[in-house]
């Protein structure tokens, strides 16, 4: 490319008629050519080194090392970045999920107490159940308190009514209810109603805690001029300003490693799965251990990476970049109150984060509606052939749990989804459609599920397609994993472009 | 929004020649060329050099008419690049119809559930081909019998020398119509088949092109727009349109007016009374003659871009004026004329 440009630039003056007509001697021409060549090579070297430096700077951008800007700060802290409370909650969520699959099918008070300790407890001595060291993937911390003390999930759970779940319960009540059921279910699975509590708890908590806290609180209410101003510490005695810390908390809830911009989506997926060969990529500071505070990938960042691995989206980097740019903006204010203009710019970054984050969850809803659709297809075929549908039904429940959890998560964001939420909840229902064409309809006074007759399995398949359509129409999702209408796209491609309008 | 650049246009054009889904794919052009030579040497008993001279004659390839084809080809690519994002997509139609079918058949009956995959593929490919070919025939027929559309279709018929690139000599309005036609046919076929046959619906392809499109094109479809009047045996011409039959469609002879609208199959023309066999020792003059009164049906042989692109709009206003005036002479005459041609 560059050589072509050079050739063109050098040749143009001598090909142009007017210069040839001016009868320039060959010697002069040569001299001129050499001068132009020198000039060009010099500018190309300077230009490309600038580009290289820029690229290097970009790839080196991390959510770390932003200096302390708080006026009159006399302590020893070098950086004002702090989101260990959020990292703790990521670990609490991971551990809770892992525990939710530990039931044996019998009532188990001990397990219930343990689950609650990770959900609403704040006590010392809680071990990190996930992520733990796995082979060569060595993790620095082993106790929850090693990251940050006295943290829980319940206190940060969305307090509104969750209309997509039976019983008219608030966010924390839904999670507690599910935890109770999970403690007595076999590996978190209730075949009678098709619930996989491990998935339901995990995906709903991701929305009701992380997503809600970030987009509805830290990137929303805390960004007003009055709340948490930048010329004051976040709270008394803190070494970070109000805006610095609000922004950090938002980033912590997203769950991306600080050095995400130097990682590909596939690497982030491998890090979340603690693959041995991803260790070097995760250990950004090369201290031989993965720090759960800054180097691990969790929850939403993982699902952003999953969508991006399709190559059709770029959520992970877009969101991380917006977080870093916003943090830079706050840092650049040097401990002064943000001007209206600065705040507007910050809100624009927040908006980028929110819209893309919402899409990440919508992509997951799309994906699991697709897997549920495929499961029903398999289920029907197996039943028609009198096969054993047990295992397929188990998968159906698992994928449905992810679908339901993400669909509830989607409704805990900053915006009231209105009609979209109503449609989503009605299409999915309170439970998967069961083999006798029934669905959970509510919870009785003893906390047991009631059922009523529902759609057929075929009808429910259409619901799944409509859920996918709703995600496309409302959120314009692009990765579209497990697209139920993929065949339409395939055939369309095969038929070739209709653009050429040749006629006879 | 619109990513229009020279590279884009270049890719569009080169894709047309390198993509076996397109009529002017180099492979098809080459096969047409070979067929033309063989025909000239063996059927017409010409020497090879005379055959080559005739086929590659600059009188055809570098005529005023053909030169305007080339210009239109390039300009239309640009216009289509600008327009295509605004046109409705087949995916929109296919998925919309797919959901609509669910409303009519809530249990989504899967038909031919026990048939093998290849059979379903064959059925889809055949049905799509028949539907598409009929739709092409029908829209083309409308372009001829509806005066407003004829005003635009004249751009194509004003060609006096025919080369494979004449296929692109179309007015943008016609391009849009044909593009929408293709979109609807594809969208509908896909929706119906995916709905009733599920994942098994498939298209049988050769070199990524629909097998029927491939066969049609490899057998010399490009000779339809050429001066090589290859005819088929009469019995075959009743089913498949020969290049010579399509050339009759372009003939200025009054006897050939509004004949042979079809693309691959001539069955449609049979049914709609517009069928015409090729003729022995066929030597035709291509172009347009006034169909009705000269006032409203302009015959301009200048081949300027102005005439080819803008004249149709003028014609349409004239037709509109005539329609709005007390005596819609144009329509009366046009209809009489049409009946007349069909009866002869």
């Amino acid at each position: 490319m560059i050589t072509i440009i050079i050739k063109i630039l050098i040749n143009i003056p001598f090909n142009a008629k007017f210069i040839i007509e001016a009868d320039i001697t060959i010697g002069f021409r040569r001299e001129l050519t050499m001068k132009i060549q020198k000039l060009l090579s010099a500018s190309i070297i300077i230009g490309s080194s600038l580009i290289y430096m820029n690229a290097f700077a970009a790839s080196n951008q991390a959510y770390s090392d932003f200096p302390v800007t708080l006026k009159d700060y006399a302590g020893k802290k070098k950086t004002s970045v702090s989101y260990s409370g959020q990292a703790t909650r990521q670990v609490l969520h991971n551990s809770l999920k892992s525990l939710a699959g530990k039931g044996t099918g019998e009532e188990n008070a001990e397990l219930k107490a343990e689950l609650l300790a990770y959900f609403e407890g704040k006590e010392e001595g809680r071990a990190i159940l996930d992520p733990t060291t796995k082979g060569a993937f060595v993790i620095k911390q082993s106790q929850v308190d090693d990251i940050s003390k006295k943290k829980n999930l319940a206190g940060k759970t969305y307090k509104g009514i969750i209309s997509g779940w039976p019983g008219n319960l608030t966010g924390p009540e839904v999670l507690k209810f599910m935890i109770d059921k999970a403690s007595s279910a076999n590996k978190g699975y209730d075949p009678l109603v098709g619930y996989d509590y491990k998935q339901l708890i995990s995906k709903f908590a991701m929305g009701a805690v992380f997503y809600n806290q970030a987009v509805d609180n830290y990137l929303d209410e805390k960004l007003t001029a009055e709340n948490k101003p930048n010329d004051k510490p976040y709270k008394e005695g803190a070494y970070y300003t109000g805006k610095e810390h609000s922004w950090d908390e938002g980033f912590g809830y997203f769950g991306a490693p600080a050095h995400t911009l130097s990682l590909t989506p596939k690497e982030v997926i491998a890090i979340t799965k603690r693959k041995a060969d991803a260790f070097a990529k995760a250990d950004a500071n090369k201290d031989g251990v993965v720090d759960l505070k800054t180097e691990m990938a969790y929850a939403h960042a993982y699902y952003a990476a999953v969508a991006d691995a399709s190559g059709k989206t770029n959520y992970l980097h877009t969101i991380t970049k917006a977080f870093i740019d916003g943090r830079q903006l706050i840092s650049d204010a040097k401990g002064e109150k943000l001007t209206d203009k600065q705040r507007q710019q910050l809100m624009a970054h927040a908006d980028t984060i929110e819209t893309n984050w919402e899409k990440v969850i919508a992509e997951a809803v799309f994906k699991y509606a697709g897997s549920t659709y495929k499961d029903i297809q398999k289920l029907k075929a197996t039943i028609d052939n009198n096969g054993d549908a047990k295992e397929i039904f188990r998968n159906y429940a698992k994928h449905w749990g992810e679908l339901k959890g993400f669909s509830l998560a989607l409704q805990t964001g900053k915006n009231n989804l209105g009609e979209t939420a109503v449609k989503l909840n009605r299409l999915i229902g309170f439970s998967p459609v069961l083999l006798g064409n029934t669905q959970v309809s509510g919870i009785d006074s003893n906390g047991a599920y009631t059922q009523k007759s529902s759609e057929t399995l075929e009808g429910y398949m259409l619901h799944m397609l409509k859920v996918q359509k709703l995600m496309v129409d409302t959120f314009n999702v692009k990765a579209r994993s497990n697209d139920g209408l993929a065949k339409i796209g395939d055939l369309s491609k095969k038929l070739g472009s209709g653009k050429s309008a040749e006629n006879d | 929004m619109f990513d229009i650049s020279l590279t884009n246009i270049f890719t569009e054009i080169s894709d047309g020649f390198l993509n076996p889904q397109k009529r002017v794919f180099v492979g098809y052009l080459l096969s047409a060329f070979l067929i033309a030579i063989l025909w000239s040497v063996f059927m017409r008993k010409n020497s090879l050099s005379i055959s080559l001279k005739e086929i590659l004659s600059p009188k055809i390839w570098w005529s005023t008419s053909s030169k305007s084809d080339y210009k239109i080809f390039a300009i239309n690519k640009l216009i289509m690049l600008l327009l295509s994002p605004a046109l409705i997509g087949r995916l929109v139609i296919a998925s919309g119809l797919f959901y609509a079918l669910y409303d009519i058949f809530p249990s989504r009956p899967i038909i031919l559930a026990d048939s093998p995959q290849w059979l379903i593929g064959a059925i889809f490919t055949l049905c799509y081909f028949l539907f598409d070919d009929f739709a092409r025939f029908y829209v083309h027929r409308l372009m001829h019998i509806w005066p407003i559309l004829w005003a635009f279709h004249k751009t194509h018929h004003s060609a006096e020398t025919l080369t494979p690139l004449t296929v692109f000599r179309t007015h943008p309005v016609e391009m849009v119509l044909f593009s929408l036609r293709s979109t609807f046919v594809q969208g509908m076929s896909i929706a119906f088949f995916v709905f009733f046959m599920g994942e098994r619906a498939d298209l049988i392809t050769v070199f990524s092109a629909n097998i029927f499109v491939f066969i049609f094109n490899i057998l010399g479809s490009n000779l339809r727009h050429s001066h090589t009047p290859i005819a088929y045996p009469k019995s075959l011409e009743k089913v498949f349109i020969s290049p010579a039959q399509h050339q009759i469609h372009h003939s200025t002879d009054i006897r050939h007016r509004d004949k042979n609208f079809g693309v691959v199959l001539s069955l449609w023309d049979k049914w709609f009374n517009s069928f015409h066999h090729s003729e022995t020792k066929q030597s035709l003059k291509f172009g347009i003659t006034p169909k009705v009164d000269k006032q409203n049906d302009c015959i301009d042989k200048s081949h300027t871009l102005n005439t080819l692109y803008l004249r149709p709009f003028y014609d349409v206003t004239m037709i509109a004026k005539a329609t709005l005036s007390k005596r819609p002479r144009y329509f009366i005459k046009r209809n009489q004329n049409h009946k007349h041609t069909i009866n002869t």
Side-chain angles (χ1 to χ4, degrees):
Chain A
M1 182 67 191
I2 291 170
T3 34
I4 292 171
I5 295 172
I6 297 172
K7 275 184 187 165
I8 292 170
L9 284 175
I10 294 173
N11 282 326
I12 280 173
F14 303 109
N15 289 340
K17 253 187 176 175
F18 64 95
I19 291 187
I20 292 169
E21 280 167 3
D23 192 26
I24 299 167
T25 60
I26 294 169
F28 178 67
R29 263 200 215 181
R30 273 193 192 144
E31 206 178 313
L32 194 61
T33 315
M34 276 169 68
K35 271 186 184 169
I36 291 173
Q37 271 175 339
K38 275 184 188 167
L39 205 68
L40 273 172
S41 12
S43 52
I44 284 163
I45 289 167
I46 293 168
S48 47
S49 52
L50 277 176
I51 292 167
Y52 176 76
M53 277 160 68
N54 259 338
F56 183 73
S59 72
N60 210 25
Q61 257 184 350
Y63 199 97
S64 57
D65 301 333
F66 292 104
V68 173
T69 63
L70 190 69
K71 297 266 163 86
D72 310 324
Y73 174 71
K76 284 181 186 164
K77 294 276 184 191
K78 289 221 168 73
T79 168
S80 56
V81 176
S82 167
Y83 52 91
S84 57
Q86 285 58 49
T88 312
R89 290 191 183 92
Q90 298 283 1
V91 166
L92 286 174
H93 161 253
N94 278 24
S95 299
L96 183 67
K97 183 184 175 191
S98 138
L99 262 186
K102 293 272 193 280
T104 57
E106 306 287 322
E107 291 240 345
N108 189 339
E110 203 178 318
L111 177 62
K112 189 177 166 184
E114 207 179 344
L115 279 160
L116 288 174
Y118 285 86
F119 175 57
E120 56 183 16
K122 290 186 174 180
E123 55 267 37
E124 286 177 17
R126 291 174 294 179
I128 295 171
L129 306 175
D130 180 63
T132 52
T133 295
K134 183 177 161 191
F137 200 98
V138 183
I139 281 172
K140 186 176 174 184
Q141 297 91 342
S142 61
Q143 292 288 313
V144 174
D145 292 350
D146 293 345
I147 311 173
S148 174
K149 293 190 174 71
K150 294 190 174 163
K151 295 291 182 296
N152 74 4
L153 294 171
K156 298 286 180 184
T157 306
Y158 170 63
K159 305 284 187 297
I161 293 285
I162 306 302
S163 53
W165 188 256
N168 230 12
L169 308 171
T170 65
E173 285 167 354
V174 168
L175 281 171
K176 253 184 121 167
F177 177 86
M178 287 176 177
I179 284 171
D180 180 35
K181 293 279 187 190
S183 68
S184 59
N186 188 6
K187 293 185 178 160
Y189 169 55
D190 181 350
L192 293 179
V193 280
Y195 281 152
D196 182 331
Y197 291 108
K198 188 174 163 176
Q199 296 302 339
L200 284 164
I201 291 171
S202 165
K203 270 59 186 193
F204 175 55
M206 274 172 60
V209 183
F210 305 156
Y211 176 55
N212 177 262
Q213 278 293 308
V215 303
D216 199 19
N217 181 18
Y218 291 110
L219 301 186
D220 185 31
E221 288 158 31
K222 298 248 161 76
L223 292 192
T224 59
E226 304 79 38
N227 267 349
K228 302 287 176 193
N230 199 45
D231 56 350
K232 294 208 172 80
Y234 184 82
K235 57 187 177 198
E236 229 182 275
Y239 54 93
Y240 33 69
T241 71
K243 288 283 177 277
E244 280 172 345
H245 194 56
S246 299
W247 198 257
D248 286 354
E249 302 228 11
F251 179 70
Y253 279 126
F254 180 53
H259 60 297
T260 292
L261 291 189
S262 61
L263 299 168
T264 65
K266 284 194 175 125
E267 285 164 354
V268 169
I269 292 171
I271 289 172
T272 318
K273 293 184 170 168
R274 293 172 286 154
K275 301 261 183 195
D277 53 5
F279 177 77
K281 282 285 175 187
D283 184 17
N285 63 1
K286 305 290 164 211
D287 62 352
V289 282
V290 172
D291 189 339
L292 294 182
K293 280 187 194 173
T294 54
E295 293 173 335
M296 192 57 192
Y298 307 95
H300 291 283
Y302 167 75
Y303 281 96
V306 168
D308 293 350
S310 71
K312 294 172 194 158
T313 55
N314 191 24
Y315 300 128
L316 180 67
H317 283 195
T318 307
I319 294 172
T320 309
K321 180 86 174 31
F323 268 120
I324 291 171
D325 290 348
R327 190 61 171 80
Q328 187 67 52
L329 188 150
I330 299 170
S331 212
D332 290 347
K334 297 197 178 3
E336 300 286 351
K337 211 171 186 152
L338 297 188
T339 63
D340 281 350
K341 197 184 163 202
Q342 283 170 325
R343 246 177 14 85
Q344 267 170 15
Q345 287 171 333
L346 194 61
M347 305 273 260
H349 290 308
D351 190 57
T352 305
I353 294 164
E354 282 153 16
T355 46
N356 281 283
W357 196 331
E358 190 175 50
K359 277 174 199 272
V360 169
I361 302 176
E363 293 277 10
V365 170
F366 186 99
K367 177 180 173 181
Y368 291 110
S371 4
T372 306
Y373 177 91
K374 285 182 184 166
D375 291 334
I376 304 173
Q377 220 167 20
K378 282 184 211 156
L379 201 57
K380 274 175 54 187
T382 314
I383 294 167
D384 287 349
N385 297 323
N386 295 320
D388 183 6
K390 221 174 174 180
E391 205 168 306
I392 299 167
F393 194 80
R394 177 70 189 91
N395 283 332
Y396 174 38
K398 176 181 183 278
H399 292 139
W400 186 89
E402 304 199 60
L403 166 68
K404 185 69 189 178
F406 276 118
S407 79
L408 295 177
L410 194 57
Q411 299 170 49
T412 58
K414 181 183 167 186
N415 306 316
N416 180 353
L417 295 186
E419 199 192 355
T420 304
V422 174
K423 280 187 190 164
L424 197 55
N425 292 335
R426 286 187 183 168
L427 286 170
I428 299 172
F430 284 151
S431 79
V433 165
L434 306 167
L435 296 185
N437 292 343
T438 59
Q439 236 173 340
V440 167
S441 57
I443 303 171
D444 68 16
S445 53
N446 298 323
Y449 297 111
T450 56
Q451 292 184 23
K452 66 175 185 192
S453 59
S454 68
E455 276 289 345
T456 57
L457 281 173
E458 289 92 345
Y460 199 52
M461 281 174 81
L462 173 61
H463 284 203
M464 294 302 108
L465 294 181
K466 284 188 174 166
V467 167
Q468 292 199 324
K469 186 174 187 301
L470 191 63
M471 294 302 106
V472 173
D473 294 347
T474 317
F475 304 103
N476 194 18
V477 294
K478 292 274 187 244
R480 298 190 199 175
S481 181
N482 291 332
D483 189 350
L485 295 188
K487 192 76 215 176
I488 288 183
D490 284 357
L491 271 185
S492 180
K493 249 183 224 153
K494 272 195 170 180
L495 283 173
S497 163
K499 276 187 209 163
S500 67
E502 59 223 51
N503 182 21
D504 287 284
Chain B
M1 278 293 282
F2 302 120
D3 187 14
I4 304 300
S5 61
L6 276 175
T7 358
N8 254 343
I9 298 171
F10 181 74
T11 336
E12 272 289 303
I13 291 176
S14 60
D15 178 64
F17 291 105
L18 300 175
N19 180 352
Q21 294 174 330
K22 302 286 167 74
R23 170 84 68 89
V24 291
F25 168 61
V26 282
Y28 303 145
L29 289 174
L30 201 66
S31 77
F33 178 63
L34 290 174
I35 291 168
I37 291 178
L38 291 174
W39 180 84
S40 177
V41 171
F42 292 103
M43 303 300 286
R44 283 281 161 105
K45 312 286 178 203
N46 289 327
S47 70
L48 185 63
S49 65
I50 287 182
S51 302
L52 282 171
K53 264 183 201 163
E54 274 185 3
I55 294 164
L56 300 174
S57 164
K59 278 183 188 164
I60 298 167
W61 289 90
W62 207 239
S63 69
T64 320
S65 171
S66 291
K67 278 190 269 187
S68 68
D69 289 2
Y70 310 143
K71 285 181 223 160
I72 292 174
F73 175 54
I75 295 169
N76 280 1
K77 284 281 173 202
L78 173 68
I79 294 176
M80 213 51 198
L81 267 178
L82 284 162
L83 281 180
S84 58
L87 299 177
I88 188 165
R90 338 165 243 190
L91 285 179
V92 178
I93 293 174
S95 48
L97 194 58
F98 184 86
Y99 287 114
L101 282 169
Y102 251 120
D103 289 337
I104 308 168
F105 306 99
S107 65
R108 191 180 174 191
I110 295 288
I111 56 171
L112 297 172
D114 299 323
S115 304
Q117 169 87 45
W118 66 265
L119 183 64
I120 307 282
I123 293 173
F124 174 73
T125 311
L126 181 67
C127 288
Y128 170 71
F129 161 71
L130 290 174
F131 186 23
D132 187 57
D133 198 57
F134 175 73
R136 280 174 194 267
F137 159 82
Y138 196 75
V139 175
H140 188 190
R141 184 174 178 271
L142 286 181
M143 306 283 326
H144 279 261
I145 65 172
W146 199 22
I148 287 178
L149 293 183
W150 170 246
F152 295 104
H153 191 48
K154 261 192 302 191
T155 299
H156 178 65
H157 274 273
S158 63
E160 290 171 309
T161 48
L162 302 181
T163 74
L165 286 181
T166 309
V167 83
F168 297 108
R169 182 188 179 114
T170 42
H171 192 276
V173 169
E174 183 179 341
M175 268 184 354
V176 169
L177 284 174
F178 253 75
S179 176
L180 289 177
R181 179 212 63 80
S182 153
T183 306
F184 275 96
V185 169
Q186 295 192 347
M188 284 168 74
S189 313
I190 293 170
F192 271 95
F193 273 81
V194 172
F195 187 81
F196 289 111
M197 302 195 169
E199 294 291 307
R200 300 164 309 150
D202 204 2
L203 186 76
I204 299 178
T205 57
V206 179
F207 297 123
S208 82
N210 179 343
I211 185 163
F212 287 109
V213 170
F214 179 82
I215 294 171
F216 170 62
N217 285 328
I218 204 76
L219 291 180
S221 67
N222 280 303
L223 294 174
R224 293 158 63 83
H225 292 131
S226 77
H227 293 250
T228 307
I230 294 181
Y232 299 155
K234 293 225 161 178
S235 53
L236 194 61
E237 280 192 346
K238 283 176 187 163
V239 184
F240 298 104
I241 296 174
S242 66
Q245 275 176 299
H246 188 69
Q247 288 154 19
I248 278 182
H249 175 72
H250 279 270
S251 160
T252 52
D253 194 325
I254 197 89
R255 293 181 306 121
H256 299 148
R257 176 176 295 164
D258 291 347
K259 296 293 182 196
N260 299 347
F261 295 124
V263 180
V264 179
L265 297 175
S266 50
L267 294 171
W268 321 121
D269 280 301
K270 274 263 177 213
W271 294 345
F272 284 81
N273 285 326
S274 50
F275 178 83
H276 198 291
H277 272 301
S278 63
E279 293 168 354
T280 39
K281 297 273 162 80
Q282 189 172 292
S283 175
L284 304 170
K285 194 170 174 295
F286 301 134
I288 34 176
T289 45
K291 282 199 172 179
V292 275
D293 59 287
K294 283 181 184 170
Q295 195 188 351
N296 289 334
D297 199 8
C298 155
I299 303 304
D300 187 334
K301 294 181 178 176
S302 62
H303 297 289
T304 63
L305 293 176
N306 235 342
T307 311
L308 297 166
Y309 280 98
L310 300 179
R311 179 78 203 196
F313 294 109
Y314 172 75
D315 287 358
V316 168
T317 53
M318 294 303 283
I319 294 166
K321 270 186 193 167
T323 317
L324 292 172
S325 72
K326 280 181 185 170
R327 290 189 306 132
R329 287 167 57 215
Y330 190 91
F331 278 106
I332 295 165
K333 284 222 169 189
R334 183 77 194 87
N335 287 338
Q336 284 170 349
N337 198 326
H338 185 61
K339 267 182 199 157
H340 172 73
T341 51
I342 284 171
N343 291 337
T344 49

